[in-house]
Amino acid sequence: MQYQIQRDRMVQDQLVARGIKDTRVLQAMRKTPRHLFVEEAFAMRAYGDYPLLIGEKQTISQPFMVGYMVEALALNNKDRVLEIGTGSGYQTAVLAEICQKVFSIERIKSLAKKARQLLESFGYHNFQIRIDDGSIGWAEKAPFEAIIVSAAAPQVPAPLCEQLAEGGRLVIPVGTEKSQTLRLIYKKNGEIFEEEKFGCTFVKLIGKYGWEI
Ligand code: SAM
């Protein structure tokens, strides 16, 4: 109950107050127990307005960033979503609440395994987690109506644009290792269009179309 109050407050103060309107995103974030996706020692801070460490030098993104990026995808319940960077699995759960199926890729085995176990324990069946380099996408499952990249890339990985369905949306932080700009990319009549949103800082996307380790 105490956590439900914190979640409601997080949604009101960090998301609604900053302009997030999509009711499905707000509802999913009101429901998802973020404190169970962080290490036990951080549970009391799970609903704070910041990212937190999740082990392996990786982070769970700030709640606003999750809300903003998921809203930017303009999802409906028939959409199949590719997520790069499963991390804790928190955002995977938020996506799974809204879309038909989430295909999530994480390069660090221990994180992928933990996220998979957690999501299964919550009864989610509409997700698949693969341990691999997500910068090359997941060609066998393409095309995707939406792609969300939760790690910073030096440029937009070409395979992700190729794997985007007609009318599809891709959200990704692009820039240097230290700072990036969030980009919203969409495919219309086979052409790729891009919009720059705002500055942000993510951990590195490591892989063929990302950074070297
Ligand atoms: N959205 C996640 C959550 O809710 O916990 C947080 C993602 S965290 C900011 C970024 C994740 O991307 C890390 O877990 C990292 O290991 C992963 N990552 C980095 N490069 C990757 C790659 N090429 N393919 C897949 N995952 C990658």
Side-chain angles (χ1 to χ4, degrees):
M1 189 58 193
Q2 182 206 6
Y3 284 121
Q4 185 60 59
I5 292 169
Q6 290 193 41
R7 270 204 293 289
D8 290 346
R9 246 181 232 153
M10 170 193 84
V11 167
Q12 191 53 41
D13 299 350
Q14 300 175 39
L15 306 184
V16 176
R18 292 180 185 147
I20 309 282
K21 290 190 182 71
D22 187 328
T23 51
R24 293 157 309 165
V25 177
L26 298 174
Q27 193 43 37
M29 291 184 67
R30 244 177 231 124
K31 177 176 169 187
T32 309
R34 186 173 162 94
H35 63 282
L36 298 180
F37 289 86
V38 301
E39 283 171 20
E40 230 176 313
F42 289 140
M44 290 301 288
R45 300 179 60 206
Y47 298 97
D49 192 13
Y50 33 70
L52 283 171
L53 288 169
I54 54 169
E56 306 281 359
K57 297 191 188 143
Q58 304 303 322
T59 52
I60 179 173
S61 306
Q62 177 194 18
F64 172 74
M65 193 57 78
V66 174
Y68 185 92
M69 289 174 80
V70 176
E71 182 177 64
L73 296 176
L75 295 174
N76 70 52
N77 59 8
K78 296 201 174 62
D79 288 343
R80 296 163 71 256
V81 180
L82 175 65
E83 176 187 46
I84 313 299
T86 316
S88 68
Y90 171 71
Q91 183 177 267
T92 318
V94 172
L95 292 166
E97 285 288 330
I98 302 172
C99 69
Q100 188 198 110
K101 180 145 184 182
V102 190
F103 298 89
S104 189
I105 309 179
E106 170 56 54
R107 61 176 285 277
I108 300 176
K109 193 173 172 183
S110 60
L111 293 179
K113 281 178 75 177
K114 202 168 159 191
R116 190 185 289 131
Q117 275 172 6
L118 208 50
L119 291 162
E120 280 170 358
S121 76
F122 293 144
Y124 288 107
H125 297 295
N126 60 338
F127 77 94
Q128 227 174 301
I129 294 177
R130 169 174 165 177
I131 301 157
D132 209 339
D133 172 10
S135 76
I136 58 174
W138 196 332
E140 308 83 61
K141 303 289 184 188
F144 302 98
E145 282 75 39
I147 302 178
I148 182 164
V149 184
S150 301
Q155 71 275 312
V156 181
L160 300 186
C161 291
E162 284 154 23
Q163 293 172 26
L164 205 53
E166 174 58 31
R169 292 83 56 200
L170 158 62
V171 66
I172 179 170
V174 181
T176 66
E177 293 181 34
K178 293 240 158 66
S179 86
Q180 306 90 37
T181 304
L182 196 67
R183 288 198 204 169
L184 175 64
I185 292 161
Y186 47 98
K187 196 181 261 186
K188 210 170 162 190
N189 300 324
E191 257 190 272
I192 294 291
F193 297 88
E194 289 195 14
E195 283 172 17
E196 293 206 339
K197 295 301 183 184
F198 49 78
C200 53
T201 311
F202 278 79
V203 296
K204 288 192 290 184
L205 180 77
I206 294 168
K208 187 171 175 197
Y209 293 87
W211 304 94
E212 285 178 17
I213 292 184

